[in-house]
Amino acid sequence: MPAPEEPPPRSATEPPPRPPKSGFLDKAAYIAAPGTVAIGLLYYFGNVYQRAYYTALGVIPEDLQFSVQAMLAKSPDAIFLPLWFLLVCGLIVLLVLGWAGQSLSGPRHPARRSKVILWLLGSGLVLLLLGFPVFFWEKSRGEPCSSGY
């Protein structure tokens, strides 16, 4: 079998090859896309929170004419507890996954590795399904949220 051919040597004055340039829009998308998603989620949760709060008091929220800034300011009240819970659970799962990856990385553990993967997948699915009532359950009366969302 012949040896693979090596690329021709570069001259000392020739600059090294550069990767293809990404355009301005590609770079801007890395910055704007996460911010847009975060602002959109904050606005949505702030809107749902204020609608549920004032509807429970018997006030029509549209009559109050809240600004976008007011919706964004109320969103941390609505998402703090669920987000904190999901972040803590995600950290625990990440630590368990790192530990399991190191201890089961050898070729002697394929059956145990598949069991751990299925267990982590199942626990993640259970956490996901248990997370839905947190967003759609009214805290004060223990009834499903009547905000229309």
Side-chain angles (χ1 to χ4, degrees):
M1 178 177 240
E5 295 181 19
E6 292 187 23
R10 285 186 307 176
S11 67
T13 59
E14 183 180 329
R18 294 184 181 174
K21 292 183 180 180
S22 60
F24 174 75
L25 292 178
D26 293 337
K27 292 177 183 176
Y30 286 122
I31 297 169
T36 304
V37 170
I39 294 294
L41 286 173
L42 286 174
Y43 179 78
Y44 171 75
F45 284 115
N47 187 17
V48 169
Y49 179 77
Q50 283 191 346
R51 181 179 298 275
Y53 181 78
Y54 287 108
T55 303
L57 294 175
V59 177
I60 300 171
E62 287 79 17
D63 290 345
L64 299 174
Q65 297 179 355
F66 287 112
S67 66
V68 173
Q69 291 84 4
M71 296 292 182
L72 293 176
K74 283 295 184 182
S75 61
D77 295 338
I79 65 172
F80 177 75
L81 181 65
L83 188 62
W84 180 82
F85 177 73
L86 289 175
L87 286 175
V88 168
C89 290
L91 177 64
I92 291 170
V93 168
L94 184 69
L95 292 174
V96 168
L97 186 62
W99 171 80
Q102 285 182 350
S103 64
L104 299 175
S105 63
R108 317 177 273 154
H109 305 289
R112 189 176 293 166
R113 184 173 32 242
S114 65
K115 285 181 185 177
V116 168
I117 289 171
L118 288 175
W119 184 82
L120 287 173
L121 182 64
S123 64
L125 184 62
V126 167
L127 284 174
L128 179 69
L129 293 176
L130 290 177
F132 283 119
V134 172
F135 288 113
F136 298 112
W137 204 260
E138 199 169 319
K139 293 179 187 176
S140 61
R141 293 184 289 178
E143 299 174 355
C145 188
S146 60
S147 65
Y149 287 95

PDB file of all heavy atoms in Angstrom, residues 44-56 59 61-62 78 135-138 141 143-149:
ATOM      1  N   TYR A  44     -43.748  37.139  27.605  1.00  0.00           N
ATOM      2  CA  TYR A  44     -44.856  36.178  27.668  1.00  0.00           C
ATOM      3  C   TYR A  44     -45.223  35.869  29.118  1.00  0.00           C
ATOM      4  O   TYR A  44     -46.391  35.934  29.499  1.00  0.00           O
ATOM      5  CB  TYR A  44     -44.478  34.890  26.928  1.00  0.00           C
ATOM      6  CG  TYR A  44     -45.487  33.784  27.138  1.00  0.00           C
ATOM      7  CD1 TYR A  44     -46.713  33.814  26.489  1.00  0.00           C
ATOM      8  CD2 TYR A  44     -45.218  32.733  27.994  1.00  0.00           C
ATOM      9  CE1 TYR A  44     -47.648  32.813  26.689  1.00  0.00           C
ATOM     10  CE2 TYR A  44     -46.144  31.733  28.201  1.00  0.00           C
ATOM     11  CZ  TYR A  44     -47.353  31.775  27.550  1.00  0.00           C
ATOM     12  OH  TYR A  44     -48.277  30.786  27.762  1.00  0.00           O
ATOM     13  N   PHE A  45     -44.235  35.546  29.956  1.00  0.00           N
ATOM     14  CA  PHE A  45     -44.532  35.197  31.345  1.00  0.00           C
ATOM     15  C   PHE A  45     -45.019  36.403  32.135  1.00  0.00           C
ATOM     16  O   PHE A  45     -45.877  36.263  33.010  1.00  0.00           O
ATOM     17  CB  PHE A  45     -43.323  34.548  32.014  1.00  0.00           C
ATOM     18  CG  PHE A  45     -43.113  33.134  31.590  1.00  0.00           C
ATOM     19  CD1 PHE A  45     -41.981  32.774  30.890  1.00  0.00           C
ATOM     20  CD2 PHE A  45     -44.053  32.163  31.871  1.00  0.00           C
ATOM     21  CE1 PHE A  45     -41.779  31.471  30.488  1.00  0.00           C
ATOM     22  CE2 PHE A  45     -43.862  30.861  31.474  1.00  0.00           C
ATOM     23  CZ  PHE A  45     -42.728  30.503  30.777  1.00  0.00           C
ATOM     24  N   GLY A  46     -44.503  37.580  31.853  1.00  0.00           N
ATOM     25  CA  GLY A  46     -45.017  38.774  32.513  1.00  0.00           C
ATOM     26  C   GLY A  46     -46.462  39.052  32.136  1.00  0.00           C
ATOM     27  O   GLY A  46     -47.284  39.423  32.977  1.00  0.00           O
ATOM     28  N   ASN A  47     -46.800  38.860  30.861  1.00  0.00           N
ATOM     29  CA  ASN A  47     -48.171  39.052  30.395  1.00  0.00           C
ATOM     30  C   ASN A  47     -49.110  38.044  31.057  1.00  0.00           C
ATOM     31  O   ASN A  47     -50.198  38.403  31.530  1.00  0.00           O
ATOM     32  CB  ASN A  47     -48.215  38.926  28.873  1.00  0.00           C
ATOM     33  CG  ASN A  47     -49.563  39.279  28.305  1.00  0.00           C
ATOM     34  OD1 ASN A  47     -50.382  39.897  28.962  1.00  0.00           O
ATOM     35  ND2 ASN A  47     -49.793  38.880  27.069  1.00  0.00           N
ATOM     36  N   VAL A  48     -48.715  36.781  31.093  1.00  0.00           N
ATOM     37  CA  VAL A  48     -49.553  35.739  31.708  1.00  0.00           C
ATOM     38  C   VAL A  48     -49.726  36.016  33.197  1.00  0.00           C
ATOM     39  O   VAL A  48     -50.830  35.893  33.743  1.00  0.00           O
ATOM     40  CB  VAL A  48     -48.945  34.340  31.466  1.00  0.00           C
ATOM     41  CG1 VAL A  48     -49.624  33.291  32.313  1.00  0.00           C
ATOM     42  CG2 VAL A  48     -49.041  33.975  29.997  1.00  0.00           C
ATOM     43  N   TYR A  49     -48.651  36.428  33.859  1.00  0.00           N
ATOM     44  CA  TYR A  49     -48.714  36.693  35.291  1.00  0.00           C
ATOM     45  C   TYR A  49     -49.661  37.854  35.591  1.00  0.00           C
ATOM     46  O   TYR A  49     -50.522  37.756  36.466  1.00  0.00           O
ATOM     47  CB  TYR A  49     -47.312  36.990  35.820  1.00  0.00           C
ATOM     48  CG  TYR A  49     -47.259  37.302  37.292  1.00  0.00           C
ATOM     49  CD1 TYR A  49     -47.346  36.291  38.226  1.00  0.00           C
ATOM     50  CD2 TYR A  49     -47.117  38.619  37.737  1.00  0.00           C
ATOM     51  CE1 TYR A  49     -47.295  36.570  39.582  1.00  0.00           C
ATOM     52  CE2 TYR A  49     -47.063  38.906  39.088  1.00  0.00           C
ATOM     53  CZ  TYR A  49     -47.155  37.879  40.002  1.00  0.00           C
ATOM     54  OH  TYR A  49     -47.109  38.163  41.340  1.00  0.00           O
ATOM     55  N   GLN A  50     -49.514  38.961  34.867  1.00  0.00           N
ATOM     56  CA  GLN A  50     -50.382  40.111  35.127  1.00  0.00           C
ATOM     57  C   GLN A  50     -51.833  39.828  34.757  1.00  0.00           C
ATOM     58  O   GLN A  50     -52.746  40.260  35.447  1.00  0.00           O
ATOM     59  CB  GLN A  50     -49.869  41.336  34.381  1.00  0.00           C
ATOM     60  CG  GLN A  50     -48.681  41.945  35.053  1.00  0.00           C
ATOM     61  CD  GLN A  50     -48.325  43.299  34.496  1.00  0.00           C
ATOM     62  OE1 GLN A  50     -48.792  43.697  33.440  1.00  0.00           O
ATOM     63  NE2 GLN A  50     -47.486  44.014  35.216  1.00  0.00           N
ATOM     64  N   ARG A  51     -52.043  39.096  33.673  1.00  0.00           N
ATOM     65  CA  ARG A  51     -53.409  38.755  33.286  1.00  0.00           C
ATOM     66  C   ARG A  51     -54.073  37.896  34.364  1.00  0.00           C
ATOM     67  O   ARG A  51     -55.214  38.137  34.754  1.00  0.00           O
ATOM     68  CB  ARG A  51     -53.415  38.028  31.946  1.00  0.00           C
ATOM     69  CG  ARG A  51     -54.804  37.659  31.453  1.00  0.00           C
ATOM     70  CD  ARG A  51     -54.736  36.969  30.115  1.00  0.00           C
ATOM     71  NE  ARG A  51     -54.159  37.822  29.093  1.00  0.00           N
ATOM     72  CZ  ARG A  51     -54.840  38.705  28.384  1.00  0.00           C
ATOM     73  NH1 ARG A  51     -56.130  38.853  28.584  1.00  0.00           N
ATOM     74  NH2 ARG A  51     -54.248  39.433  27.470  1.00  0.00           N
ATOM     75  N   ALA A  52     -53.373  36.901  34.880  1.00  0.00           N
ATOM     76  CA  ALA A  52     -53.938  36.036  35.920  1.00  0.00           C
ATOM     77  C   ALA A  52     -54.159  36.810  37.214  1.00  0.00           C
ATOM     78  O   ALA A  52     -55.188  36.640  37.885  1.00  0.00           O
ATOM     79  CB  ALA A  52     -53.014  34.850  36.165  1.00  0.00           C
ATOM     80  N   TYR A  53     -53.226  37.680  37.566  1.00  0.00           N
ATOM     81  CA  TYR A  53     -53.327  38.436  38.817  1.00  0.00           C
ATOM     82  C   TYR A  53     -54.529  39.373  38.797  1.00  0.00           C
ATOM     83  O   TYR A  53     -55.345  39.382  39.720  1.00  0.00           O
ATOM     84  CB  TYR A  53     -52.025  39.215  39.035  1.00  0.00           C
ATOM     85  CG  TYR A  53     -51.994  40.007  40.313  1.00  0.00           C
ATOM     86  CD1 TYR A  53     -51.758  39.376  41.523  1.00  0.00           C
ATOM     87  CD2 TYR A  53     -52.200  41.377  40.312  1.00  0.00           C
ATOM     88  CE1 TYR A  53     -51.726  40.090  42.706  1.00  0.00           C
ATOM     89  CE2 TYR A  53     -52.168  42.101  41.482  1.00  0.00           C
ATOM     90  CZ  TYR A  53     -51.922  41.456  42.679  1.00  0.00           C
ATOM     91  OH  TYR A  53     -51.900  42.171  43.851  1.00  0.00           O
ATOM     92  N   TYR A  54     -54.646  40.172  37.743  1.00  0.00           N
ATOM     93  CA  TYR A  54     -55.736  41.154  37.712  1.00  0.00           C
ATOM     94  C   TYR A  54     -57.082  40.522  37.377  1.00  0.00           C
ATOM     95  O   TYR A  54     -58.116  41.042  37.781  1.00  0.00           O
ATOM     96  CB  TYR A  54     -55.389  42.292  36.744  1.00  0.00           C
ATOM     97  CG  TYR A  54     -54.325  43.185  37.330  1.00  0.00           C
ATOM     98  CD1 TYR A  54     -53.030  43.166  36.835  1.00  0.00           C
ATOM     99  CD2 TYR A  54     -54.606  44.021  38.393  1.00  0.00           C
ATOM    100  CE1 TYR A  54     -52.043  43.964  37.379  1.00  0.00           C
ATOM    101  CE2 TYR A  54     -53.631  44.821  38.950  1.00  0.00           C
ATOM    102  CZ  TYR A  54     -52.362  44.790  38.447  1.00  0.00           C
ATOM    103  OH  TYR A  54     -51.390  45.570  39.000  1.00  0.00           O
ATOM    104  N   THR A  55     -57.090  39.408  36.665  1.00  0.00           N
ATOM    105  CA  THR A  55     -58.349  38.709  36.420  1.00  0.00           C
ATOM    106  C   THR A  55     -58.880  38.119  37.716  1.00  0.00           C
ATOM    107  O   THR A  55     -60.092  38.116  37.956  1.00  0.00           O
ATOM    108  CB  THR A  55     -58.155  37.611  35.360  1.00  0.00           C
ATOM    109  OG1 THR A  55     -57.647  38.204  34.166  1.00  0.00           O
ATOM    110  CG2 THR A  55     -59.460  36.904  35.045  1.00  0.00           C
ATOM    111  N   ALA A  56     -57.995  37.615  38.575  1.00  0.00           N
ATOM    112  CA  ALA A  56     -58.421  37.087  39.877  1.00  0.00           C
ATOM    113  C   ALA A  56     -59.000  38.188  40.754  1.00  0.00           C
ATOM    114  O   ALA A  56     -59.874  37.929  41.584  1.00  0.00           O
ATOM    115  CB  ALA A  56     -57.244  36.416  40.581  1.00  0.00           C
ATOM    116  N   VAL A  59     -60.477  42.633  37.636  1.00  0.00           N
ATOM    117  CA  VAL A  59     -60.141  43.778  36.802  1.00  0.00           C
ATOM    118  C   VAL A  59     -59.750  43.266  35.425  1.00  0.00           C
ATOM    119  O   VAL A  59     -59.026  42.284  35.295  1.00  0.00           O
ATOM    120  CB  VAL A  59     -58.970  44.585  37.416  1.00  0.00           C
ATOM    121  CG1 VAL A  59     -58.566  45.744  36.528  1.00  0.00           C
ATOM    122  CG2 VAL A  59     -59.332  45.068  38.797  1.00  0.00           C
ATOM    123  N   PRO A  61     -57.436  43.274  32.516  1.00  0.00           N
ATOM    124  CA  PRO A  61     -56.057  43.773  32.363  1.00  0.00           C
ATOM    125  C   PRO A  61     -55.868  44.698  31.163  1.00  0.00           C
ATOM    126  O   PRO A  61     -55.020  45.582  31.209  1.00  0.00           O
ATOM    127  CB  PRO A  61     -55.217  42.509  32.194  1.00  0.00           C
ATOM    128  CG  PRO A  61     -56.080  41.393  32.640  1.00  0.00           C
ATOM    129  CD  PRO A  61     -57.488  41.834  32.493  1.00  0.00           C
ATOM    130  N   GLU A  62     -56.648  44.528  30.108  1.00  0.00           N
ATOM    131  CA  GLU A  62     -56.504  45.384  28.928  1.00  0.00           C
ATOM    132  C   GLU A  62     -56.885  46.831  29.235  1.00  0.00           C
ATOM    133  O   GLU A  62     -56.401  47.762  28.583  1.00  0.00           O
ATOM    134  CB  GLU A  62     -57.342  44.862  27.761  1.00  0.00           C
ATOM    135  CG  GLU A  62     -56.782  43.611  27.115  1.00  0.00           C
ATOM    136  CD  GLU A  62     -57.081  42.338  27.892  1.00  0.00           C
ATOM    137  OE1 GLU A  62     -57.987  42.339  28.760  1.00  0.00           O
ATOM    138  OE2 GLU A  62     -56.384  41.345  27.656  1.00  0.00           O
ATOM    139  N   ALA A  78     -43.037  35.774  38.104  1.00  0.00           N
ATOM    140  CA  ALA A  78     -43.737  34.605  37.592  1.00  0.00           C
ATOM    141  C   ALA A  78     -42.819  33.423  37.327  1.00  0.00           C
ATOM    142  O   ALA A  78     -43.221  32.285  37.473  1.00  0.00           O
ATOM    143  CB  ALA A  78     -44.476  34.976  36.300  1.00  0.00           C
ATOM    144  N   PHE A 135     -46.434  25.739  35.812  1.00  0.00           N
ATOM    145  CA  PHE A 135     -46.753  26.910  35.022  1.00  0.00           C
ATOM    146  C   PHE A 135     -48.253  27.147  34.882  1.00  0.00           C
ATOM    147  O   PHE A 135     -48.675  28.255  34.632  1.00  0.00           O
ATOM    148  CB  PHE A 135     -46.132  26.793  33.626  1.00  0.00           C
ATOM    149  CG  PHE A 135     -44.644  26.967  33.630  1.00  0.00           C
ATOM    150  CD1 PHE A 135     -43.817  25.915  33.313  1.00  0.00           C
ATOM    151  CD2 PHE A 135     -44.078  28.177  33.970  1.00  0.00           C
ATOM    152  CE1 PHE A 135     -42.447  26.070  33.315  1.00  0.00           C
ATOM    153  CE2 PHE A 135     -42.717  28.348  33.983  1.00  0.00           C
ATOM    154  CZ  PHE A 135     -41.900  27.291  33.657  1.00  0.00           C
ATOM    155  N   PHE A 136     -49.063  26.104  35.012  1.00  0.00           N
ATOM    156  CA  PHE A 136     -50.487  26.239  34.762  1.00  0.00           C
ATOM    157  C   PHE A 136     -51.341  26.046  36.006  1.00  0.00           C
ATOM    158  O   PHE A 136     -52.505  25.704  35.904  1.00  0.00           O
ATOM    159  CB  PHE A 136     -50.924  25.240  33.678  1.00  0.00           C
ATOM    160  CG  PHE A 136     -50.255  25.487  32.362  1.00  0.00           C
ATOM    161  CD1 PHE A 136     -49.346  24.594  31.845  1.00  0.00           C
ATOM    162  CD2 PHE A 136     -50.518  26.643  31.653  1.00  0.00           C
ATOM    163  CE1 PHE A 136     -48.726  24.826  30.641  1.00  0.00           C
ATOM    164  CE2 PHE A 136     -49.899  26.891  30.446  1.00  0.00           C
ATOM    165  CZ  PHE A 136     -48.998  25.979  29.942  1.00  0.00           C
ATOM    166  N   TRP A 137     -50.804  26.262  37.179  1.00  0.00           N
ATOM    167  CA  TRP A 137     -51.557  26.081  38.409  1.00  0.00           C
ATOM    168  C   TRP A 137     -51.534  27.373  39.193  1.00  0.00           C
ATOM    169  O   TRP A 137     -50.475  27.943  39.425  1.00  0.00           O
ATOM    170  CB  TRP A 137     -50.944  24.952  39.229  1.00  0.00           C
ATOM    171  CG  TRP A 137     -51.903  24.317  40.154  1.00  0.00           C
ATOM    172  CD1 TRP A 137     -52.024  24.565  41.489  1.00  0.00           C
ATOM    173  CD2 TRP A 137     -52.872  23.329  39.829  1.00  0.00           C
ATOM    174  NE1 TRP A 137     -53.011  23.795  42.006  1.00  0.00           N
ATOM    175  CE2 TRP A 137     -53.553  23.027  41.020  1.00  0.00           C
ATOM    176  CE3 TRP A 137     -53.246  22.688  38.655  1.00  0.00           C
ATOM    177  CZ2 TRP A 137     -54.582  22.099  41.059  1.00  0.00           C
ATOM    178  CZ3 TRP A 137     -54.259  21.762  38.713  1.00  0.00           C
ATOM    179  CH2 TRP A 137     -54.917  21.475  39.889  1.00  0.00           C
ATOM    180  N   GLU A 138     -52.690  27.844  39.605  1.00  0.00           N
ATOM    181  CA  GLU A 138     -52.783  29.093  40.346  1.00  0.00           C
ATOM    182  C   GLU A 138     -52.430  28.838  41.800  1.00  0.00           C
ATOM    183  O   GLU A 138     -52.960  27.922  42.431  1.00  0.00           O
ATOM    184  CB  GLU A 138     -54.197  29.647  40.236  1.00  0.00           C
ATOM    185  CG  GLU A 138     -54.287  31.101  40.551  1.00  0.00           C
ATOM    186  CD  GLU A 138     -55.637  31.659  40.176  1.00  0.00           C
ATOM    187  OE1 GLU A 138     -56.171  31.302  39.128  1.00  0.00           O
ATOM    188  OE2 GLU A 138     -56.142  32.445  40.966  1.00  0.00           O
ATOM    189  N   ARG A 141     -55.479  29.652  45.048  1.00  0.00           N
ATOM    190  CA  ARG A 141     -56.664  28.839  45.271  1.00  0.00           C
ATOM    191  C   ARG A 141     -56.464  27.373  44.948  1.00  0.00           C
ATOM    192  O   ARG A 141     -57.316  26.557  45.217  1.00  0.00           O
ATOM    193  CB  ARG A 141     -57.814  29.370  44.424  1.00  0.00           C
ATOM    194  CG  ARG A 141     -58.265  30.742  44.878  1.00  0.00           C
ATOM    195  CD  ARG A 141     -59.436  31.182  44.108  1.00  0.00           C
ATOM    196  NE  ARG A 141     -59.010  31.488  42.744  1.00  0.00           N
ATOM    197  CZ  ARG A 141     -59.825  31.869  41.793  1.00  0.00           C
ATOM    198  NH1 ARG A 141     -61.095  31.981  42.039  1.00  0.00           N
ATOM    199  NH2 ARG A 141     -59.379  32.138  40.592  1.00  0.00           N
ATOM    200  N   GLU A 143     -56.296  25.999  41.969  1.00  0.00           N
ATOM    201  CA  GLU A 143     -57.107  25.634  40.818  1.00  0.00           C
ATOM    202  C   GLU A 143     -56.304  25.896  39.548  1.00  0.00           C
ATOM    203  O   GLU A 143     -55.361  26.678  39.558  1.00  0.00           O
ATOM    204  CB  GLU A 143     -58.378  26.475  40.774  1.00  0.00           C
ATOM    205  CG  GLU A 143     -59.264  26.276  41.992  1.00  0.00           C
ATOM    206  CD  GLU A 143     -60.429  27.235  41.977  1.00  0.00           C
ATOM    207  OE1 GLU A 143     -60.514  28.114  41.104  1.00  0.00           O
ATOM    208  OE2 GLU A 143     -61.275  27.109  42.880  1.00  0.00           O
ATOM    209  N   PRO A 144     -56.714  25.259  38.433  1.00  0.00           N
ATOM    210  CA  PRO A 144     -56.023  25.571  37.171  1.00  0.00           C
ATOM    211  C   PRO A 144     -56.138  27.047  36.851  1.00  0.00           C
ATOM    212  O   PRO A 144     -57.130  27.697  37.159  1.00  0.00           O
ATOM    213  CB  PRO A 144     -56.764  24.710  36.146  1.00  0.00           C
ATOM    214  CG  PRO A 144     -57.359  23.606  36.944  1.00  0.00           C
ATOM    215  CD  PRO A 144     -57.682  24.190  38.295  1.00  0.00           C
ATOM    216  N   CYS A 145     -55.108  27.590  36.246  1.00  0.00           N
ATOM    217  CA  CYS A 145     -55.030  29.006  35.930  1.00  0.00           C
ATOM    218  C   CYS A 145     -56.121  29.392  34.931  1.00  0.00           C
ATOM    219  O   CYS A 145     -56.301  28.743  33.915  1.00  0.00           O
ATOM    220  CB  CYS A 145     -53.661  29.347  35.368  1.00  0.00           C
ATOM    221  SG  CYS A 145     -53.392  31.097  35.153  1.00  0.00           S
ATOM    222  N   SER A 146     -56.866  30.459  35.219  1.00  0.00           N
ATOM    223  CA  SER A 146     -57.969  30.877  34.368  1.00  0.00           C
ATOM    224  C   SER A 146     -57.593  32.065  33.499  1.00  0.00           C
ATOM    225  O   SER A 146     -58.443  32.838  33.100  1.00  0.00           O
ATOM    226  CB  SER A 146     -59.176  31.250  35.230  1.00  0.00           C
ATOM    227  OG  SER A 146     -58.818  32.313  36.103  1.00  0.00           O
ATOM    228  N   SER A 147     -56.299  32.232  33.220  1.00  0.00           N
ATOM    229  CA  SER A 147     -55.875  33.407  32.484  1.00  0.00           C
ATOM    230  C   SER A 147     -56.093  33.284  30.978  1.00  0.00           C
ATOM    231  O   SER A 147     -55.895  34.226  30.250  1.00  0.00           O
ATOM    232  CB  SER A 147     -54.399  33.674  32.745  1.00  0.00           C
ATOM    233  OG  SER A 147     -53.636  32.616  32.231  1.00  0.00           O
ATOM    234  N   GLY A 148     -56.491  32.131  30.514  1.00  0.00           N
ATOM    235  CA  GLY A 148     -56.731  31.960  29.087  1.00  0.00           C
ATOM    236  C   GLY A 148     -55.518  31.484  28.329  1.00  0.00           C
ATOM    237  O   GLY A 148     -55.565  31.307  27.138  1.00  0.00           O
ATOM    238  N   TYR A 149     -54.396  31.278  29.015  1.00  0.00           N
ATOM    239  CA  TYR A 149     -53.190  30.816  28.334  1.00  0.00           C
ATOM    240  C   TYR A 149     -52.917  29.412  28.729  1.00  0.00           C
ATOM    241  O   TYR A 149     -52.538  28.936  29.624  1.00  0.00           O
ATOM    242  CB  TYR A 149     -51.988  31.707  28.657  1.00  0.00           C
ATOM    243  CG  TYR A 149     -52.080  33.033  27.968  1.00  0.00           C
ATOM    244  CD1 TYR A 149     -52.605  34.124  28.617  1.00  0.00           C
ATOM    245  CD2 TYR A 149     -51.680  33.181  26.652  1.00  0.00           C
ATOM    246  CE1 TYR A 149     -52.696  35.328  27.979  1.00  0.00           C
ATOM    247  CE2 TYR A 149     -51.768  34.385  26.009  1.00  0.00           C
ATOM    248  CZ  TYR A 149     -52.279  35.459  26.693  1.00  0.00           C
ATOM    249  OH  TYR A 149     -52.371  36.660  26.058  1.00  0.00           O
TER     250      TYR A 149
END
